[in-house]
């Protein structure tokens, strides 16, 4: 794949060999957006928090370092509580975001996916995508 940097002044491409994995640093803590109150105003509904990253990845799980996250109307509806019905307040707090792309930072034991290893690019549809890691 090709990593590309574009600006108004110049365009630079950085080719990455298929065998050359981009391996992210795994910190002890990371930041994520958490919905702490139900509100149609996303800034009011969410807080940026730091949380500890457990370094032992559960068996069968993958740790992803997010690079980009998609933001759309479903994120606003989710943070406003429209998807929960009468139980909306009992679900608080919860992680924000539904989809993102990034690279695999670590693999738990038992993960056996052909051609996938630490450093592989990945797309994820998962609650909690507005985070540095998930």
């Amino acid at each position: 794949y090709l990593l590309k940097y574009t600006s108004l002044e110049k365009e630079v491409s950085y080719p990455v060999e298929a065998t050359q994995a981009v391996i992210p640093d795994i910190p002890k803590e990371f930041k994520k957006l958490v919905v702490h109150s139900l509100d149609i105003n996303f800034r009011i509904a969410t807080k940026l928090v730091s949380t500890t990253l457990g370094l032992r990845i559960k068996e069968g799980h993958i740790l992803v370092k997010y690079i980009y996250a998609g933001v759309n109307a479903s994120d606003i509806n989710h943070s406003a509580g429209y998807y929960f019905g009468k139980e909306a307040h009992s679900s608080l707090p919860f992680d924000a975001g539904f989809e993102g792309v990034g690279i695999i930072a670590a693999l738990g034991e038992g993960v056996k996916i052909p051609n996938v290893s630490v450093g592989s690019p990945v797309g994820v549809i998962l609650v909690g995508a507005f985070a540095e890691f998930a």
Side-chain angles (χ1 to χ4, degrees):
Y1 60 101
L2 190 66
L3 300 175
K4 197 170 192 178
Y5 169 76
T6 305
S7 73
L8 293 176
E9 297 121 26
K10 61 184 175 180
E11 182 173 321
V12 180
S13 297
Y14 302 96
V16 177
E17 298 294 325
T19 59
Q20 180 185 359
V22 178
I23 300 174
D25 292 329
I26 301 175
K28 292 181 181 177
E29 290 188 341
F30 69 99
K31 291 186 169 99
K32 65 180 181 176
L33 273 179
V34 174
V35 176
H36 65 92
S37 67
L38 301 176
D39 198 297
I40 193 72
N41 184 326
F42 194 74
R43 289 183 184 198
I44 292 172
T46 59
K47 285 184 185 176
L48 183 63
V49 300
S50 290
T51 189
T52 303
L53 180 62
L55 295 180
R56 182 163 177 352
I57 308 304
K58 292 181 184 177
E59 184 175 338
H61 286 74
I62 295 172
L63 178 66
V64 174
K65 176 174 179 29
Y66 284 113
I67 298 171
Y68 297 104
V71 181
N72 54 58
S74 64
D75 296 302
I76 305 302
N77 290 333
H78 192 227
S79 66
Y82 294 161
Y83 297 152
F84 298 107
K86 293 179 181 178
E87 295 81 31
H89 287 285
S90 66
S91 64
L92 292 170
F94 57 86
D95 294 344
F98 286 126
E99 58 195 29
V101 294
I103 55 176
I104 295 176
L107 298 169
E109 289 184 38
V111 175
K112 292 181 176 95
I113 304 170
N115 302 316
V116 172
S117 61
V118 172
S120 294
V122 63
V124 179
I125 297 176
L126 172 77
V127 173
F130 293 170
E132 293 176 316
F133 289 87

